[in-house]
Amino acid sequence: DIGKRFNYVHIGDVIEHVSDPVKLISFAARHLTDDGVIVVTTPNPYFYQNIVRVVREGLLVANFEHVTWIGESMAQEIAHRANVKLMKIFRPVSRRRAVAVVQKTNLGLFSDKYYYFFSKKTVTA
């Protein structure tokens, strides 16, 4: 049903493959309920293993079908252009990957994935 609205839209490891991520988020937002949430998961380009690989090999080719990496500042700009709100950024961290003290310095280095939570902007009268 083309007019259907959803409380939750999950875009799982897709946004880095599309030519226009702003259009993707705008499309998803049109299908949200007023209090709905878009959850976007995408690989973290700043994950320490990616950085090590770039240093070692000179180039990181994580997936030939990726057209872009979506870092935190890019997610904020996508939200702005798509007229949605970036509510939260979550970077899950495995205890096996880092010592707790080091994790606190820069969680982005120790998470291989980002979770971005978008919502419709609240309209104030």
Side-chain angles (χ1 to χ4, degrees), residues 23-85:
K23 283 185 181 177
L24 176 64
I25 298 301
S26 294
F27 178 81
R30 283 196 307 269
H31 295 282
L32 278 183
T33 59
D34 288 340
D35 58 348
V37 176
I38 302 165
V39 178
V40 175
T41 59
T42 188
N44 176 4
Y46 308 111
F47 179 44
Y48 78 92
Q49 288 181 353
N50 293 340
I51 294 168
V52 168
R53 208 162 142 201
V54 168
V55 170
R56 188 176 49 226
E57 299 172 16
L59 176 66
L60 174 63
V61 179
N63 184 320
F64 286 109
E65 296 175 353
H66 286 183
V67 294
T68 189
W69 290 103
I70 308 296
E72 294 180 27
S73 62
M74 291 128 186
Q76 186 63 49
E77 183 61 22
I78 289 167
H80 172 74
R81 292 181 185 196
N83 198 32
V84 297
K85 180 180 177 185

